[in-house]
Each structure stands twice: as structure tokens, then as C-alpha cells.
Amino acid sequence: MTQIPTTTNPNWWRDAIIYQVYPRSYLDTNGDGIGDLAGITEKLDYIASLGVDIVWLSPFFKSPMRDFGYDIADYCDVDPMFGTLADFDRLVAKAHGLGLKIMIDQVMSHTADSHPWFVESRSNRDNPKSDWYVWADPLPDGNPPNNWLSVFGGSAWQWDTRRKQYYMHNFLVSQPQLNFHNPEVQKAHLAAQRFWLERGVDGVRLDACVFHFHDRQLRSNPPALVRDTSTVTDVNPYGMQAHIYDKTQPENIAFLEQLRAQLDEFGAVSIGEISSDDALAQMNEYMAGGNKLHMAYSFNFLTPVFTAAHIRAQVEDFERRVEEGWASWSVGNHDAIRVMTRWGGPHATAGFAKMVLAMQLSLKGTPCLYQGDELALHEADVPFELLQDPYGITFWPEFKGRDGCRTPMPWQAAAPHAGFTTGKPWLPVEPSHAAAAVDLQDKDPDSMLNFQRRFIALRRTMPQLTRGEIAFIDAPEPVLALRRDLEGERSVLAAFNLSNAEVTFDWPATEATDRLAVDGLAGDARGGRVTLPPFGAWFGLERAEG
């Protein structure tokens, strides 16, 4: 099979919107309580109705599921719980028929410990794959070779009795780190990626792509000058190190160039997950020259910090420091507390969600939306005895892990388990989610779901919001004010109230604008003064001269 033509516009992805699907929790069609590929295929019409362009599928590959698919045992097959390769082909065919593109997760830095590569590698020290993973002798006192830590807790080294050596793992003990310094590892990954590109995949999301290479000398990391709380919580000691040797190594540049060359053969795109001590520096390196990543995102909008100053700083810093790159702005995904709870608090309403979406889609970059945020879902409260995420179990109770954002999609308010499954769901359906189900919101013109559809449709008519330059205007906290300028088009001005109290401020430039009505958002500008109700927003079009 060959890929369908992408488009005549090589930068089509800059105008696109990404929608992330977490397959385990989207729709279960066989009653086993776990979502599947057939369920995603069944809901592609719904996804298309949102107006998005790219469907990012979290891992569906063969896996022991200790990290729920991010521990891969076969890069070129579908796990039976999700279906078959034929199911995947049907999904791609239907998506393409609807004008949707399919992006898959590529988890390259590590495998499952049940992967045949690791089974062979750990069997002894002289087998053909003995150097495919990161192995190290103990120090004379038996300790690991250095101080590297795992993101998921404890040392990044695990003793193996077969080889009488330590192997490295940046995440779970059952996720051994591949040795990218071995060219055969790189070739194997490129071959696996080609397998999916030939099946019609339109893009890849590179999970943990700063973790591919490690320091060959195995030097210990120094203490962090400022504790990192953007990628891990403050209860995790991982943030106490400056991670300059266990990831973000310079050798990754050449590998990303190889990966990009292969993607270019198929007209496919890439987006990289950047989690490092200086994410913008890595983004700049990984996108420079137009021959590595197409887009990248960091965790800076996935933290609890929600101020106009913070949002402005992230975008301005990106524009200043990432000279040749393109941002993907995400306020929610499968690793973060849902934005309604994280930024809005327990009592946030759909009005808050509408403002956040409009703000996100007004920034310069490719937006990435997470399933369920179109319904304004709050973080689910999963009790300890029902937790599945090993990350949350380790750091309970101060950190509850990622299960709260991964609970099943609510499709039908009155159906058992909100229409997700006829069996017992792998995670419980949050009761408040059923009241926000798709079937109810679909019929309500004022719902968050229908607002998202309308705003995305409006955005498509305004190239200023996709390709225009961005500039922020000084405004009092909690107001984020900006303008988008594109040659040949009237400039768009926009202001967002990030608080639950009315705000009024002076913006003289609004006197020369025509109000751009956005159904579902309230705000007014008169006489150079802007008034925004709680979580309100205002849009204006600059008047043409003459």
C-alpha cells in the first residue's frame, strides 16, 4: 500500500488542528471494557464533525500494557486487545475518505522487557543484540554506574542476574532503554516506521524523543540549579537533577535528520514531545534547518500555572528562541490533569472551557486537542483501589498519576458506562462525565461541543489565525491581549479574561476595529475600552484604511 497524496501545500500541517485519541478509552466494540480500533473507526464521523484535520492515536501496538502501550513488544503489529492490522487498515481508509489524516505514536527510546530484542540482549553478553540496550557494569561496591534517576521513581538502573550487569530504564523497570549509539537500533526503528508509512500513516508523534541517546561515558548528572516542576511534580526527586547526561545528547540530531528524510518520502509530518531542562533550546536544535522535526511541544501549558503573563512568556520565548521551528500548543493530553480542573478548578463551567479553546486556537502554532476536552470534562476522581497507572501508584497520595484524564469517553448519558462499553470498563466512568455526554451536547446549540465546532469553522475562514504573525499587547493581569497580522488581510485583535471576575481595560487600537462576533463568547469594546465578563473574550477586525 502507498500513502495518499498529502496536499499541494507542503506546509499544510501549519494550518491543521490535531485531535488526540487515547484508544483504550474511546469506544469499546467487543465488550471487554477496553477501547479498540473498530471503536475509533466507528467514531471517525464524529471526529470529522469537529473540524479537525489530524487524528493522533496513542499506542495500539503489541504490548504487555504495564505502561498501557508505551511499552512496546512488537513495533509492527496491533495488540489483540485493540484489533488487527486489517482493523487498522480499515481505520486509515475511512479516515482518508473523510479527509482526516492519521498520526501514530512512535515510542523509540525504550521497549517492553518482553520485546524479543531485549529477551535476546539480556540472555548473555555476546549475542547479536547484546549491545542493543544500555548495559553497564556495577561500581566496585556493587552500586549502579551513576546517579541517573527514573522519571517514574527510583534509580534508572536495574540489576540483571543473567548478565550480572545493570540495564538502564528512564521510566518503568520493565521499559529497558535502547542503545541508539548502535546503528542497528536506528535502522530497526526506521524500518518499523517505514512499515506504517507504507500502510498510509500521515504522521508520527515522537514520544520522549529527547531520551534516544545517553552519554557514552555514563557521567553523573549534577544537581539542578532550579528544581524542574514543568515535567514532574515537586514530590518526584527526578526534578532535582540537571539532566544533561541521561538525555538530550547531540547525536540525536543526525538520527532525527534520517527520520525526517524518510518522512519526506511519504509527505508525512512529525511532532516531537520535548521534556528537558531547557525545552526551547532543544526545540531550536531539533527543528533548525527544516530537516528534522516539523513541530514540537513542551509541557509548559500542561502545568497548573494559568496566568496571562505565563502564556504570553511561553509564546514570546518560543518566537524569540526557536528561530526556524513551529510550535504545537497543547493544554491537555493523556499525561496531564484535565485542563478544566488544572486551570479552571473544581467548579469551572463550560464558559471557562470556551474561552480557553478560543485562546488556544488564537495562538501562532498548530493546536493539539485532547479527547473529551470538547465536552469540557473535569478530571475524574479515581480511588486508589481502582488506579491502573503505576506512576500514580508509586507517588500516591500527593500525585495520583494519569488515570484521571484517561477515563472513558461518555457517548450516551443514559446508557450503562455512558455508552463506552457493554462490559466492565478498565477505568470507571466519572459520574459527572455522563451528564456531559456527546448525545446531550450534540443537541444543545450552546454546548461546549457545538461551540468548538463553530469556532474551528470560524478559524478556517481566517488565515490570520493560522499563518499570521503574533504580537501581545500590554494589558493588566488576568487579561491576555494579542493581535494576529497577515499581509493582505485585516489584522485580528483578541482579548481573553482568564478570571471569574469582570475586567475592563484601555486598548486604544480597538477604536479602529469592527467587532467579530463569536457565538458563545461575551465581550465588548467601545471608545478604546474593552470590557470582558468572567472568562469572557472579545475579537475584532481592524478596519481597512480608507
Side-chain angles (χ1 to χ4, degrees):
M1 284 172 288
T2 57
Q3 188 181 29
I4 62 170
T6 307
T7 178
T8 56
N9 175 13
N11 291 325
W12 62 270
W13 40 274
R14 295 192 174 194
D15 297 329
I17 295 175
I18 303 169
Y19 178 80
Q20 182 191 359
V21 169
Y22 191 69
R24 293 181 69 91
S25 297
Y26 210 60
L27 180 66
D28 169 28
T29 61
N30 62 8
D32 66 356
I34 297 170
D36 43 51
L37 295 181
I40 299 169
T41 303
E42 183 177 319
K43 293 299 183 182
L44 283 173
D45 293 283
Y46 165 79
I47 295 173
S49 80
L50 301 175
V52 300
D53 306 276
I54 302 171
V55 184
W56 157 25
L57 303 177
S58 288
F60 51 83
F61 314 105
K62 192 172 182 181
S63 166
M65 298 293 163
R66 292 188 183 128
D67 193 23
F68 303 105
Y70 285 90
D71 48 334
I72 296 174
D74 188 337
Y75 283 99
C76 296
D77 202 1
V78 174
D79 193 279
M81 73 168 54
F82 295 125
T84 65
L85 282 170
D87 290 323
F88 179 79
D89 293 339
R90 281 189 285 271
L91 188 158
V92 172
K94 182 171 180 179
H96 288 168
L98 292 168
L100 295 169
K101 300 185 186 299
I102 295 297
M103 173 180 283
I104 63 171
D105 246 316
Q106 292 285 271
V107 189
M108 297 184 175
S109 72
H110 54 268
T111 70
D113 59 6
S114 58
H115 196 295
W117 298 347
F118 187 68
V119 172
E120 182 175 355
S121 185
R122 80 188 312 182
S123 63
N124 56 61
R125 297 193 187 191
D126 7 310
N127 66 79
K129 290 187 170 55
S130 61
D131 193 37
W132 276 46
Y133 292 80
V134 182
W135 294 95
D137 290 327
L139 294 176
D141 63 359
N143 271 307
N146 58 36
N147 70 347
W148 295 351
L149 295 173
S150 162
V151 177
F152 286 178
S155 171
W157 297 97
Q158 177 67 22
W159 179 252
D160 185 82
T161 57
R162 299 161 185 81
R163 291 182 49 144
K164 297 182 179 62
Q165 286 181 304
Y166 285 99
Y167 68 82
M168 180 186 174
H169 60 93
N170 279 302
F171 300 95
L172 294 176
V173 169
S174 57
Q175 292 171 301
Q177 175 71 24
L178 281 159
N179 177 19
F180 267 75
H181 293 290
N182 186 329
E184 295 303 311
V185 170
Q186 298 180 41
K187 289 178 184 177
H189 270 310
L190 290 170
Q193 179 174 266
R194 181 175 292 276
F195 172 86
W196 294 106
L197 291 170
E198 289 177 345
R199 297 194 92 87
V201 163
D202 305 288
V204 297
R205 178 256 184 186
L206 295 172
D207 179 77
C209 67
V210 300
F211 287 89
H212 292 159
F213 287 83
H214 66 287
D215 174 51
R216 283 181 182 270
Q217 299 178 51
L218 302 183
R219 287 170 283 190
S220 286
N221 287 324
L225 296 178
V226 178
R227 184 166 183 157
D228 175 28
T229 56
S230 65
T231 56
V232 296
T233 67
D234 61 3
V235 301
N236 190 338
Y238 186 84
M240 299 171 69
Q241 288 187 0
H243 294 276
I244 60 176
Y245 293 122
D246 53 347
K247 59 183 181 181
T248 62
Q249 299 304 294
E251 294 91 337
N252 203 19
I253 301 295
F255 174 70
L256 292 176
E257 289 174 352
Q258 291 184 67
L259 186 146
R260 173 64 178 265
Q262 186 179 79
L263 291 172
D264 286 347
E265 289 181 43
F266 294 84
V269 299
S270 59
I271 179 170
E273 177 193 46
I274 308 297
S275 55
S276 63
D277 297 353
D278 188 346
L280 290 176
Q282 293 309 131
M283 288 181 177
N284 191 42
E285 286 188 1
Y286 289 3
M287 291 188 282
N291 63 345
K292 294 174 276 294
L293 296 177
H294 293 78
M295 301 174 275
Y297 75 91
S298 70
F299 287 73
N300 291 357
F301 283 172
L302 300 173
T303 71
V305 182
F306 183 56
T307 64
H310 175 73
I311 293 167
R312 175 177 178 173
Q314 303 313 310
V315 178
E316 287 185 332
D317 286 352
F318 182 93
E319 291 294 308
R320 186 181 73 254
R321 295 182 58 194
V322 186
E323 299 173 1
E324 300 176 81
W326 188 257
S328 176
W329 298 114
S330 175
V331 302
N333 69 16
H334 66 291
D335 283 331
I337 294 171
R338 283 198 177 272
V339 67
M340 281 289 286
T341 300
R342 177 169 32 90
W343 280 0
H347 305 298
T349 64
F352 167 83
K354 293 173 183 178
M355 182 276 296
V356 169
L357 177 79
M359 179 195 69
Q360 181 188 2
L361 268 60
S362 297
L363 301 177
K364 182 184 176 185
T366 298
C368 185
L369 311 176
Y370 181 52
Q371 69 177 51
D373 284 350
E374 74 270 24
L375 306 176
L377 300 183
H378 285 265
E379 180 83 350
D381 184 16
V382 182
F384 179 79
E385 61 271 18
L386 295 180
L387 280 187
Q388 302 291 321
D389 185 9
Y391 192 12
I393 292 169
T394 297
F395 287 103
W396 177 276
E398 296 303 317
F399 174 66
K400 298 181 180 181
R402 303 162 294 178
D403 288 336
C405 67
R406 297 177 175 184
T407 55
M409 271 286 285
W411 297 103
Q412 299 168 286
H417 309 301
F420 166 70
T421 181
T422 57
K424 181 182 178 182
W426 76 285
L427 280 173
V429 175
E430 168 69 30
S432 67
H433 289 185
V438 170
D439 65 336
L440 294 183
Q441 294 205 29
D442 202 37
K443 295 179 288 189
D444 178 3
D446 296 325
S447 69
M448 176 59 189
L449 174 60
N450 282 315
F451 173 83
Q452 178 161 314
R453 288 167 171 158
R454 288 193 303 270
F455 194 86
I456 288 176
L458 174 66
R459 184 178 185 269
R460 289 197 180 285
T461 69
M462 306 185 69
Q464 305 96 311
L465 292 182
T466 56
R467 297 191 293 276
E469 295 302 318
I470 191 168
F472 291 90
I473 310 302
D474 291 337
E477 196 74 46
V479 174
L480 184 74
L482 58 87
R483 60 184 295 145
R484 300 296 305 276
D485 303 305
L486 182 64
E487 186 176 355
E489 301 286 345
R490 298 164 65 188
S491 295
V492 174
L493 280 65
F496 307 91
N497 179 3
L498 276 55
S499 78
N500 61 356
E502 182 176 291
V503 176
T504 300
F505 71 102
D506 292 325
W507 190 358
T510 60
E511 286 194 83
T513 62
D514 296 318
R515 181 172 180 268
L516 177 62
V518 179
D519 187 12
L521 292 176
D524 192 29
R526 297 184 185 185
R529 195 160 179 79
V530 179
T531 300
L532 301 172
F535 301 123
W538 171 87
F539 284 82
L541 278 174
E542 195 171 55
R543 294 193 192 108
E545 292 184 7

